């Protein structure tokens, strides 16, 4: 599939083809870090952690087996055009969230600068992640919202 130049400025999320949709990802990997909810109703609280899915490459922020991720990790969630509104926990810097909210991409986004390292240099990348298989007490790894 082809990627149209500056497609994110010319198309809605619904109009994007598969390649364009995938290209929106900045590679921060934050969607692959574990989150959990405590409480219910008004007392419900979402916690973000530094605990990564065991398939996440902690250095690159990319899945080590993207084509097989759903088979290998049954709790892996697929972000789609249809279910995007359900992913309100996405990072405030996430291109999918930003475009859904009618906002521009951040100035460090790889689609704008042509370099994946810009995202890391902007401080968006989680630097001290740990794989789920190495964790005993999740509360040790709770972080502020990302």
């Amino acid at each position: 599939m082809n990627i149209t130049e500056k497609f994110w400025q010319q198309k809605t999320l619904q109009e994007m083809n598969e390649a364009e949709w995938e290209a929106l990802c900045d590679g921060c990997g934050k969607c692959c870090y574990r989150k959990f909810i405590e409480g219910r109703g008004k007392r419900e609280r979402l916690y973000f952690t530094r605990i990564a899915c065991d398939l996440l490459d902690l250095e690159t922020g990319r899945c080590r087996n993207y084509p097989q991720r759903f088979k290998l990790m049954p709790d892996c969630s697929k972000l789609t055009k249809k279910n995007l509104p359900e992913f309100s926990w996405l990072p405030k810097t996430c291109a999918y969230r930003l475009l859904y909210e009618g906002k521009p991409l951040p100035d460090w986004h790889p689609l704008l600068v042509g370099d994946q390292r810009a995202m890391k240099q902007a401080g968006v990348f989680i630097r001290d992640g740990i794989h789920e298989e190495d964790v005993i007490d999740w509360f040790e790894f709770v972080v502020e919202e990302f």
Side-chain angles (χ1 to χ4, degrees):
M1 292 191 140
N2 292 332
I3 295 181
T4 306
E5 188 176 337
K6 297 188 180 182
F7 64 90
W8 63 94
Q9 294 174 337
Q10 302 167 16
K11 297 181 177 183
T12 67
L13 290 166
Q14 297 299 324
E15 295 170 330
M16 292 179 191
N17 64 39
E18 179 90 14
E20 291 166 339
W21 177 265
E22 290 290 327
L24 287 176
C25 178
D26 62 29
C28 74
K30 288 180 178 177
C31 56
C32 298
Y33 280 83
R34 302 300 187 193
K35 297 150 257 333
F36 64 95
I37 297 173
E38 183 178 64
R40 292 188 175 182
K42 290 182 180 181
R43 297 188 186 274
E44 183 177 286
R45 176 151 184 215
L46 175 66
Y47 290 92
F48 295 89
T49 74
R50 292 186 294 113
I51 304 168
C53 166
D54 292 333
L55 290 178
L56 185 69
D57 182 318
L58 299 175
E59 298 299 316
T60 66
R62 298 289 183 179
C63 183
R64 292 186 290 203
N65 198 336
Y66 193 73
Q68 298 294 315
R69 67 193 185 280
F70 302 117
K71 189 176 187 178
L72 297 170
M73 293 296 192
D75 63 342
C76 183
S77 299
K78 181 172 182 156
L79 179 66
T80 67
K81 297 171 187 179
K82 188 175 182 179
N83 70 11
L84 178 59
E86 299 168 26
F87 284 71
S88 59
W89 52 263
L90 287 170
K92 292 175 179 156
T93 58
C94 177
Y96 299 101
R97 178 179 180 168
L98 290 169
L99 294 177
Y100 179 76
E101 294 173 349
K103 297 175 182 171
L105 296 180
D107 58 3
W108 49 260
H109 195 281
L111 285 172
L112 297 174
V113 299
D115 187 350
Q116 194 72 30
R117 293 175 295 188
M119 177 266 306
K120 287 183 177 182
Q121 292 167 348
V124 177
F125 193 75
I126 294 179
R127 299 191 191 284
D128 51 354
I130 184 169
H131 282 122
E132 188 171 23
E133 65 188 2
D134 299 324
V135 174
I136 295 172
D137 182 3
W138 279 42
F139 275 99
E140 290 181 38
F141 301 96
V142 170
V143 295
E144 294 299 315
E145 183 177 349
F146 45 65

